[in-house]
Amino acid sequence: MPTFSTLIKPASSNCNLGCTYCFYSDVISCRTTKSYGLMDYNTSFRIIDRAFEHINHSGNLIFAFQGGEPTLAGIDFFKAFTEYANAKKTKTVNINYSIQTNGLLIDSDWCMLFKQNHFLVGLSFDGTPDIHNFLRQNSSKRVLEAAKLLHKHNVDFNILTVVSKQVARHPKKVFDFLKQFDYLQFIPCLEPFNAIERSVYSLTPQLYADFLKVLFRLWYKELINGRYISIRLFDNIIQSITGQMPEQCGMLGICQMQYVIEADGSVYPCDFYCVDEYNAGNINNASFEQLYNTECVKRFLQDAGEQNPICKNCSFQTICNGGCKRYRHFYFAVENYCPFKDFLSETVNSFVHLSKYIQRVIK
């Protein structure tokens, strides 16, 4: 059965936190319209109709919501969306929902909506309460209360941590706090598109590699003591080592069409590139197939991005495939050095040794 996914921004770039290091805040600063407001119901229903048409009413549909802060669209928006989609659902269509949120608006009503519709929730939390409070406006208490509510209502969720300089300097402290949760994601903090000077949040490649090394050792210790904690990057490395396609697009080596839909219906190929240059058109007047076949999407997918000579002879090239092109400027900021290569040089044998066991766990 075919699988089709789309990433929807129902509240555009609007957010009730406005973190300084937010990559999407940087993205919108590079386009004419900074915010498209809130998505209206007709546009949301058109997305659903187009998605069902695209798979010819047979297959798997994934509707993912992100922002800005998507919950600012209001719970009634999500109720209407899920009710409309579920009403169209037949035995030949499976629907999966996910949402990435800062958690500030999550209450029992949101949790019941998530549970009823089998949402996978990504909850943003930056490491430890004190680091999180420094980076995200003293919001740790509210986010951890949201985590308790999600757990109480048996909602599937993971913790997403942006690895800024502040997080990377304290890998043990961060892991020791976050290991209370079963599913974790760590993503390196992105530098702005046109950065001239490094910010107070900026990672260096070596600091990122050192963070990953310590994180791995702590994760491995938990594993041999009988507890498996899912870390998305490590799961994807295992998938690559065992010959499977990683689900994390940044490890594929090539860009894929993500169908990122802004609040007005504008469609872009990638969350990192929602800029005017890559506006493929609008879902209200074009099908997904028509949007895919636009010149700007073809140009985006064909652009392999910045390449680095050290990748050609790297023994780990088949694992990371050069990484996401949006991250390569950071990865290769130091000549003849790659943080991912440094990390894998120390850990790959352990990954290979553990792969059979871990594969049974993460399937």
Side-chain angles (χ1 to χ4, degrees), residues 58-70:
S58 179
N60 301 303
L61 290 177
I62 301 172
F63 296 113
F65 298 92
Q66 206 174 85
E69 174 49 44

Side-chain angles (χ1 to χ4, degrees), residues 306-323:
E306 181 182 2
Q307 301 296 307
N308 193 286
I310 68 174
C311 291
K312 294 180 180 179
N313 299 313
C314 178
S315 55
F316 309 120
Q317 201 276 339
T318 56
I319 297 178
C320 75
N321 293 294

Side-chain angles (χ1 to χ4, degrees), residues 291-312:
L291 292 161
Y292 181 85
N293 287 314
T294 55
E295 287 303 315
C296 78
V297 170
K298 291 178 181 177
R299 186 173 68 253
F300 176 82
L301 296 178
Q302 290 169 0
D303 178 11
E306 181 182 2
Q307 301 296 307
N308 193 286
I310 68 174
C311 291
K312 294 180 180 179

Side-chain angles (χ1 to χ4, degrees), residues 40-297:
D40 62 48
Y41 286 16
N42 288 336
T43 298
S44 71
F45 298 158
R46 184 60 59 86
I47 293 170
I48 297 166
D49 291 340
R50 299 282 198 196
F52 271 82
E53 292 167 5
H54 191 72
I55 63 168
N56 196 24
H57 298 267
S58 179
N60 301 303
L61 290 177
I62 301 172
F63 296 113
F65 298 92
Q66 206 174 85
E69 174 49 44
T71 59
L72 289 177
I75 195 170
D76 288 342
F77 171 89
F78 286 87
K79 287 180 177 178
F81 189 101
T82 53
E83 287 171 3
Y84 187 87
N86 294 341
K88 290 181 68 73
K89 185 178 178 297
T90 64
K91 292 181 179 179
T92 59
V93 176
N94 297 315
I95 300 177
N96 294 284
Y97 300 101
S98 67
I99 186 170
Q100 184 65 45
T101 175
N102 61 30
L104 300 192
L105 298 181
I106 301 303
D107 57 17
S108 293
D109 290 339
W110 278 102
C111 290
M112 286 188 284
L113 173 73
F114 294 151
K115 182 61 178 177
Q116 289 166 1
N117 293 282
H118 309 289
F119 268 72
L120 172 61
V121 178
L123 188 63
S124 296
F125 189 83
D126 279 355
T128 65
D130 58 328
I131 297 173
H132 180 98
N133 284 337
F134 173 77
L135 295 169
R136 299 174 73 86
Q137 300 183 21
N138 295 313
S139 59
S140 68
K141 183 178 179 181
R142 294 170 68 182
V143 180
L144 293 174
E145 287 173 351
K148 290 179 181 178
L149 276 175
L150 292 167
H151 181 74
K152 177 182 177 181
H153 287 270
N154 295 312
V155 176
D156 292 331
F157 73 99
N158 59 55
I159 299 294
L160 173 64
T161 297
V162 177
V163 186
S164 61
K165 177 172 65 177
Q166 289 75 16
V167 169
R169 284 175 169 172
H170 303 282
K172 186 177 188 306
K173 182 179 175 182
V174 167
F175 182 78
D176 285 348
F177 183 83
L178 293 181
K179 69 181 183 181
Q180 64 182 291
F181 305 105
D182 293 326
Y183 300 92
L184 307 176
Q185 291 188 63
F186 295 92
I187 59 173
C189 185
L190 273 174
E191 284 291 288
F193 270 119
N194 301 311
I196 299 174
E197 298 180 355
R198 300 185 68 80
S199 74
V200 296
Y201 313 106
S202 296
L203 277 173
T204 63
Q206 183 67 62
L207 182 59
Y208 182 53
D210 291 344
F211 172 81
L212 291 179
K213 290 176 188 179
V214 176
L215 183 68
F216 177 84
R217 290 195 291 269
L218 296 167
W219 170 80
Y220 180 81
K221 183 178 179 181
E222 291 290 324
L223 184 62
I224 62 175
N225 286 333
R227 184 177 177 217
Y228 179 75
I229 299 170
S230 172
I231 294 181
R232 188 185 183 195
L233 173 62
F234 297 172
D235 290 348
N236 275 265
I237 290 172
I238 292 294
Q239 289 173 322
S240 292
I241 286 174
T242 55
Q244 301 179 66
M245 181 178 291
E247 54 79 26
Q248 194 168 330
C249 69
M251 294 180 67
L252 296 174
I254 57 172
C255 291
Q256 295 182 317
M257 180 64 171
Q258 292 185 357
Y259 296 102
V260 182
I261 307 178
E262 259 284 4
D264 71 327
S266 295
V267 179
Y268 303 84
C270 174
D271 199 23
F272 291 157
Y273 293 90
C274 291
V275 292
D276 295 340
E277 179 184 359
Y278 295 118
N279 187 332
N282 197 292
I283 196 64
N284 284 300
N285 49 44
S287 69
F288 283 113
E289 183 177 5
Q290 289 171 324
L291 292 161
Y292 181 85
N293 287 314
T294 55
E295 287 303 315
C296 78
V297 170

